Amino acid sequence: MHSFPQHLLDGHANFMSGRYSREKERIRDLAEVGQKPTTMIIACCDSRAAPEMIFDTGPGEAFVLRNVANLVPTYQPDGGQHGTSAAIEFAIKGLGIANIVIMGHGRCGGIKAALNPDYSPLDEGDFIGKWMSMLGELPSQLGTNTMMTATEQQTALERISIRNSIRNLRTFPYVAALEAEEKLAVHGAWFDISTGELWIMDHNGDFIRPAL
């Protein structure tokens, strides 16, 4: 049997002597009364783009879902096992979330794979390829633009994918209904790993840098 990763044990020891020690009462209160976050963040599982770090949130402040390339599928109430849809359902129906942020990021491996015409599955199951297929024809449409460099194509698809996921999110009946009642707001954001810059979608769907 393998030993538990030592760097994680060291990290937990630092947490107990540092943050937990400083915020003990708050964390214990969260354990007693439960979580009441107002924002859900759907982000990529890339280890370099952690929402808690980017937005400097503490325990109980953000309900975070991470998957490959921060994708949201369409509403499919069938017999399938839909992890992302289950999290969205719980966030809205169970926690009463007021904001949903879909956050993409630069240098996304999933987006890069979707744009690669020579993509080779990592395994015969090809779960990544099947997952990324929900982007439909968007990768091939961008890939045929010879006036864009590979980097430009990737950045463009990272941002277009956010818009696509927002469109898919709105196929959930209760999302559309709550938005219409102004009880839920849906947002898009893109994080640049190399610079730390955050770009947010405005009402026109353009990505802009917010004033700090």
Side-chain angles (χ1 to χ4, degrees):
M1 182 176 180
H2 297 291
S3 299
F4 196 81
Q6 187 59 47
H7 70 279
L8 297 182
L9 294 175
D10 293 341
H12 178 253
N14 291 336
F15 164 71
M16 292 300 292
S17 63
R19 188 164 191 172
Y20 182 82
S21 179
R22 296 191 302 270
E23 302 182 41
K24 186 183 302 182
E25 294 305 316
R26 179 187 177 192
I27 294 173
R28 287 181 174 176
D29 185 56
L30 284 170
E32 292 294 327
V33 303
Q35 59 176 323
K36 295 181 180 179
T38 60
T39 299
M40 177 184 195
I41 302 172
I42 301 176
C44 182
C45 43
D46 191 305
S47 60
R48 303 165 296 176
E52 295 88 346
M53 173 187 73
I54 295 167
F55 296 109
D56 194 24
T57 60
E61 294 180 353
F63 185 72
V64 178
L65 166 70
R66 301 180 72 172
N67 64 36
V68 173
N70 45 270
L71 301 185
V72 174
T74 56
Y75 181 70
Q76 301 171 39
D78 53 29
Q81 296 172 310
H82 303 291
T84 294
S85 299
I88 292 169
E89 178 181 276
F90 180 68
I92 296 175
K93 295 285 192 171
L95 298 176
I97 289 293
N99 295 280
I100 297 182
V101 178
I102 299 176
M103 185 184 73
H105 68 93
R107 296 170 172 80
C108 179
I111 295 295
K112 183 177 182 180
L115 279 167
N116 183 4
D118 300 319
Y119 167 76
S120 179
L122 299 177
D123 182 76
E124 62 182 18
D126 193 20
F127 292 110
I128 296 174
K130 293 172 184 173
W131 177 252
M132 296 306 300
S133 70
M134 74 174 74
L135 288 177
E137 298 300 316
L138 293 175
S140 60
Q141 289 172 1
L142 266 176
T144 58
N145 190 329
T146 57
M147 296 299 290
M148 298 176 72
T149 67
T151 299
E152 289 172 333
Q153 288 177 1
Q154 178 160 342
T155 299
L157 186 56
E158 286 163 355
R159 294 182 172 186
I160 291 171
S161 174
I162 294 168
R163 297 191 188 103
N164 187 63
S165 283
I166 289 175
R167 181 175 62 186
N168 289 350
L169 181 62
R170 286 173 172 152
T171 66
F172 287 67
Y174 43 85
V175 170
L178 289 171
E179 267 200 298
E181 297 171 7
E182 298 187 349
K183 294 179 180 178
L184 175 69
V186 177
H187 312 272
W190 181 86
F191 175 71
D192 190 331
I193 292 174
S194 63
T195 65
E197 294 176 354
L198 181 72
W199 296 68
I200 61 174
M201 274 181 58
D202 64 12
H203 296 298
N204 296 317
D206 291 320
F207 282 87
I208 61 172
R209 287 186 60 194
L212 298 178

